Amino acid sequence: MTELAPSRSDIDTKLRAILRDVLGLDAKRVERFDGGTGLFGHLPELDSMAVAGLLTEMEDRLDIIIEDDDVDGEMLETYGGLLAFAEAKVVEN
Amino acid sequence: MLVLPALFDEANKLRRLTAEVMQRLDGAGIGSVLPDLPGCNESRQPLQAQSLDHWRQCAAAAAAHFSATHVLTLRGGVLTVPPELPGWNYAPVAGRQVLRAMLRARTIAAREAGREETIEALQQTGRSEGVELAGWPLGPGLFAQLENAAPQPESAQVEIDQGAIGGGGLWLRAEPDESPEQADALAAAIVTGLAPA
């Protein structure tokens, strides 16, 4: 379990950096995101093209493959949902 | 200097950066020209009728017409570049990656609208009859060529990756944005590269 902890926080850090780059938000604001922070449907910038860019960048930086079926409202709705999805995908690989 | 723009949505996202870099080059005494690829931006040609081969021919013709000694490509612009022209490829990307984001945008938009579309099915349609992705109607020729197009490993250009520029790539932004710092860094890399050793 001790080895899981740093890798989880590594995914968290990378995911925040991706959101910062995609949304053009300042680092402080993205740092304040918590599990319940709303994403898709809550942030006006995050339309389908932006979500597509977000997922493609997650694939590149986290070295994962995201399938069509993986993408649903739940995973995109909150930061916590997206992080849980990313962690599950990284473990899967 | 011939400037070959990024493709599709990324061209819009990088519009400001592209112009700002050109202004900085001008300030350093380097003239540059930014043509529209046929079917893109203000071109009156239909996008459906385009192919990557044709874009490459046009890029080569533009280089000859303007007597360009160097080239700067941005993102997918690298896929149209004359390989023998010296210059720089900023954050080059393969055609497959450009398409992937656009295919995905379409499946996400379809899902929101209550329709089910898969990337695989869209790819097949794209190859056989063409497909409209994120507002860009791509013909079957261009679609199939983009799927297989990658930056050429042996070219006269040097790659400038985003790490060398600093900050997040502006093509990722949900909203078109600008960054004077990134424009400074990109222009400086080119000016330094052009300076006699």
Side-chain angles (χ1 to χ4, degrees), chain B residues 25 30 88 185-197:
Chain B
L25 291 176
I30 301 162
W88 295 267
L186 187 47
I190 293 162
V191 171
T192 309
L194 277 174

Short mmCIF file of all heavy atoms in Angstrom, two decimals, chain B residues 25 30 88 185-197:
data_model
loop_
_atom_site.label_atom_id
_atom_site.label_comp_id
_atom_site.label_asym_id
_atom_site.label_seq_id
_atom_site.Cartn_x
_atom_site.Cartn_y
_atom_site.Cartn_z
N LEU B 25 9.14 38.07 -35.37
CA LEU B 25 10.15 37.80 -36.42
C LEU B 25 10.34 39.05 -37.27
O LEU B 25 11.47 39.40 -37.62
CB LEU B 25 9.70 36.62 -37.29
CG LEU B 25 9.68 35.24 -36.61
CD1 LEU B 25 9.13 34.19 -37.56
CD2 LEU B 25 11.07 34.84 -36.12
N ILE B 30 13.05 39.53 -39.94
CA ILE B 30 12.77 38.30 -40.69
C ILE B 30 11.35 38.37 -41.25
O ILE B 30 10.38 38.39 -40.48
CB ILE B 30 12.92 37.05 -39.79
CG1 ILE B 30 14.33 36.99 -39.21
CG2 ILE B 30 12.59 35.77 -40.55
CD1 ILE B 30 14.45 36.08 -37.99
N TRP B 88 11.85 24.99 -38.70
CA TRP B 88 11.46 24.51 -37.38
C TRP B 88 10.05 23.94 -37.41
O TRP B 88 9.16 24.50 -38.07
CB TRP B 88 11.51 25.66 -36.39
CG TRP B 88 12.89 26.17 -36.21
CD1 TRP B 88 13.79 25.78 -35.25
CD2 TRP B 88 13.58 27.13 -37.01
NE1 TRP B 88 14.98 26.43 -35.42
CE2 TRP B 88 14.88 27.26 -36.49
CE3 TRP B 88 13.22 27.88 -38.13
CZ2 TRP B 88 15.83 28.12 -37.05
CZ3 TRP B 88 14.16 28.74 -38.69
CH2 TRP B 88 15.45 28.85 -38.14
N ALA B 185 9.31 33.17 -26.64
CA ALA B 185 10.22 32.02 -26.58
C ALA B 185 10.35 31.36 -27.95
O ALA B 185 11.44 30.99 -28.38
CB ALA B 185 9.72 31.01 -25.54
N LEU B 186 9.22 31.23 -28.65
CA LEU B 186 9.24 30.57 -29.96
C LEU B 186 10.01 31.43 -30.97
O LEU B 186 10.87 30.92 -31.72
CB LEU B 186 7.81 30.31 -30.42
CG LEU B 186 7.59 29.48 -31.68
CD1 LEU B 186 8.43 28.22 -31.68
CD2 LEU B 186 6.11 29.12 -31.84
N ALA B 187 9.73 32.72 -30.98
CA ALA B 187 10.43 33.62 -31.91
C ALA B 187 11.92 33.65 -31.58
O ALA B 187 12.76 33.63 -32.49
CB ALA B 187 9.83 35.03 -31.84
N ALA B 188 12.24 33.64 -30.29
CA ALA B 188 13.66 33.71 -29.89
C ALA B 188 14.40 32.45 -30.36
O ALA B 188 15.55 32.53 -30.81
CB ALA B 188 13.78 33.86 -28.38
N ALA B 189 13.74 31.30 -30.27
CA ALA B 189 14.38 30.06 -30.71
C ALA B 189 14.72 30.13 -32.19
O ALA B 189 15.77 29.65 -32.63
CB ALA B 189 13.47 28.87 -30.41
N ILE B 190 13.82 30.73 -32.95
CA ILE B 190 14.03 30.83 -34.40
C ILE B 190 15.13 31.85 -34.72
O ILE B 190 16.03 31.58 -35.52
CB ILE B 190 12.71 31.21 -35.10
CG1 ILE B 190 11.73 30.05 -34.95
CG2 ILE B 190 12.94 31.55 -36.56
CD1 ILE B 190 10.29 30.43 -35.20
N VAL B 191 15.04 33.00 -34.08
CA VAL B 191 16.04 34.05 -34.34
C VAL B 191 17.43 33.55 -33.98
O VAL B 191 18.40 33.75 -34.72
CB VAL B 191 15.68 35.34 -33.56
CG1 VAL B 191 16.81 36.35 -33.64
CG2 VAL B 191 14.38 35.93 -34.09
N THR B 192 17.53 32.85 -32.84
CA THR B 192 18.82 32.29 -32.42
C THR B 192 19.31 31.27 -33.44
O THR B 192 20.49 31.23 -33.79
CB THR B 192 18.68 31.59 -31.05
OG1 THR B 192 18.05 32.50 -30.15
CG2 THR B 192 20.03 31.19 -30.49
N GLY B 193 18.37 30.44 -33.91
CA GLY B 193 18.74 29.41 -34.88
C GLY B 193 19.21 29.99 -36.20
O GLY B 193 20.02 29.37 -36.91
N LEU B 194 18.70 31.16 -36.56
CA LEU B 194 19.06 31.78 -37.83
C LEU B 194 20.37 32.57 -37.76
O LEU B 194 20.99 32.84 -38.78
CB LEU B 194 17.95 32.74 -38.29
CG LEU B 194 16.77 32.11 -39.02
CD1 LEU B 194 15.71 33.17 -39.27
CD2 LEU B 194 17.21 31.50 -40.34
N ALA B 195 20.76 32.93 -36.52
CA ALA B 195 21.96 33.76 -36.35
C ALA B 195 23.19 32.99 -36.82
O ALA B 195 23.30 31.80 -36.56
CB ALA B 195 22.11 34.17 -34.89
N PRO B 196 24.09 33.65 -37.54
CA PRO B 196 25.30 32.96 -37.99
C PRO B 196 26.10 32.46 -36.79
O PRO B 196 26.22 33.16 -35.79
CB PRO B 196 26.09 34.02 -38.75
CG PRO B 196 25.32 35.28 -38.66
CD PRO B 196 24.06 35.06 -37.92
N ALA B 197 26.58 31.25 -36.88
CA ALA B 197 27.29 30.64 -35.75
C ALA B 197 28.64 31.31 -35.55
O ALA B 197 29.21 31.84 -36.48
CB ALA B 197 27.48 29.16 -35.99
#
